[in-house]
Amino acid sequence: MKGGKGATHAVATWVRRQPPKIKAFLAVVSGMSALVLLRMIVHDHDNLFVAAEAVHSLGISVLIYKLMKEKTCAGISLKSQELTALFLAVRLYCSLVMEYDIHTILDSATLVTTLWVIYMIRFKLRSSYMDDKDNFAIYYVVIPCALLSLAVHPTTHHFFVNRIGWAFCVYLEAVSVLPQLRLMQNTKIVEPFTAHYVFALGVARFLSCAHWVLQVMDTRGQLLTTLGYGFWPCMVLLSEIVQTFILADFCYYYVKSAVDGQLVLRLPSGVV
């Protein structure tokens, strides 16, 4: 066991010493290797999307435990939770009117728990909320996502408003974690429960991205054509990739902290 930890620590130390270009190359190789592994062991790639929703729910469960156990919401971004509730509500509406399936049930459960977290932060644990640190202006993401959804959206047969809503929730989901990352950037120190939650988001985003990439590979690109024509199919895939890379840096430091045996995650300057 000690030998395994020593080898892992040695690898982590070697990676830390590499220049940024080498780290970026290693990240790409690791991501591609993970995709190949998932393709080999997961035969029905729709299960990856279900797994992503399950991991997201697990992350929110960690937040709920923190709020109930420690009676504090310090380190949690209310704005990220509100953005999450917004895109989940829009996606749930689109799912109900466009394609009711298991994702509708999963989104419903996630939305309810997210609304509960918002309620706790706003009313029950307001005194511990880091209002001065949670200073990301959400209109910087909501307005661009709304405008982009008007310009680039599905070209399917569904009602126009529903297609706009679908595009809006895809774009907003990709950037909804930015206020949480800004808060952590302001504090520099991330306590365990919040770190577990954000890491769970990173894993969920990767699984969701893997679902789309593998589906495109298996259908030899035909999946993109079923989503419509124009820029929309590419924007769906790009949104999945963007939201994965947004959290990649944090996930690296989370794993590094876990390998080093540190309970509290300390972020260096310039991260996230």
Side-chain angles (χ1 to χ4, degrees):
M1 179 67 73
K2 290 183 178 180
K5 288 185 177 179
T8 304
H9 181 73
V11 172
T13 302
W14 178 82
V15 171
R16 287 199 301 270
R17 293 175 178 173
Q18 302 308 306
K21 289 184 178 179
I22 298 298
K23 288 181 180 178
F25 172 75
L26 292 174
V28 172
V29 171
S30 299
M32 293 178 64
S33 301
L35 284 176
V36 172
L37 180 62
L38 286 173
R39 189 176 188 184
M40 292 173 59
I41 63 178
V42 180
H43 301 292
D44 185 355
H45 297 148
D46 282 338
N47 291 333
L48 290 175
F49 195 85
V50 176
E53 292 288 335
V55 173
H56 187 181
S57 299
L58 181 62
I60 295 180
S61 298
V62 171
L63 280 191
I64 292 175
Y65 180 82
K66 168 188 169 68
L67 296 177
M68 297 182 64
K69 178 77 173 179
E70 300 188 351
K71 304 298 182 182
T72 176
C73 63
I76 303 175
S77 170
L78 173 62
K79 293 180 179 179
S80 265
Q81 296 301 314
E82 290 175 339
L83 289 177
T84 300
L86 178 58
F87 85 72
L88 282 173
V90 175
R91 190 164 74 185
L92 181 59
Y93 162 77
C94 293
S95 180
L96 287 171
V97 299
M98 296 171 71
E99 48 175 8
Y100 186 89
D101 53 19
I102 187 174
H103 306 314
T104 308
I105 300 174
L106 293 173
D107 280 344
S108 299
T110 306
L111 177 60
V112 169
T113 52
T114 301
L115 290 174
W116 185 87
V117 170
I118 292 173
Y119 168 77
M120 292 295 290
I121 296 175
R122 277 196 171 277
F123 301 106
K124 295 295 184 180
L125 304 173
R126 183 75 187 188
S127 60
S128 60
Y129 171 52
M130 296 179 170
D131 193 11
D132 58 325
K133 302 294 184 183
D134 193 15
N135 56 9
F136 188 93
I138 60 176
Y139 55 81
Y140 283 156
V141 294
V142 173
I143 294 177
C145 287
L147 294 176
L148 185 59
S149 65
L150 288 172
V152 183
H153 50 266
T155 54
T156 57
H157 64 280
H158 300 96
F159 184 51
F160 178 73
V161 173
N162 298 340
R163 288 185 280 134
I164 297 298
W166 184 5
F168 177 71
C169 68
V170 168
Y171 300 144
L172 188 60
E173 181 182 15
V175 294
S176 61
V177 76
L178 289 179
Q180 180 65 57
L181 296 181
R182 170 64 69 83
L183 189 153
M184 295 188 301
Q185 186 181 55
N186 290 336
T187 59
K188 297 299 181 187
I189 297 178
V190 186
E191 55 82 35
F193 287 116
T194 304
H196 298 336
Y197 164 69
V198 178
F199 180 72
L201 287 184
V203 174
R205 300 290 164 83
F206 173 75
L207 291 174
S208 179
C209 182
H211 163 260
W212 281 101
V213 172
L214 292 178
Q215 289 281 67
V216 171
M217 292 172 60
D218 286 349
T219 61
R220 300 183 184 276
Q222 292 181 5
L223 176 65
L224 294 178
T225 60
T226 62
L227 296 175
Y229 54 85
F231 290 107
W232 168 246
C234 295
M235 289 301 294
V236 172
L237 192 58
L238 181 61
S239 297
E240 294 291 338
I241 295 174
V242 165
Q243 61 181 317
T244 301
F245 275 93
I246 284 177
L247 286 164
D249 205 20
F250 173 84
C251 289
Y252 164 75
Y253 284 98
Y254 176 91
V255 174
K256 172 182 173 295
S257 178
V259 170
D260 293 341
Q262 299 176 2
L263 294 179
V264 178
L265 178 60
R266 289 176 172 82
L267 299 176
S269 300
V271 178
V272 302

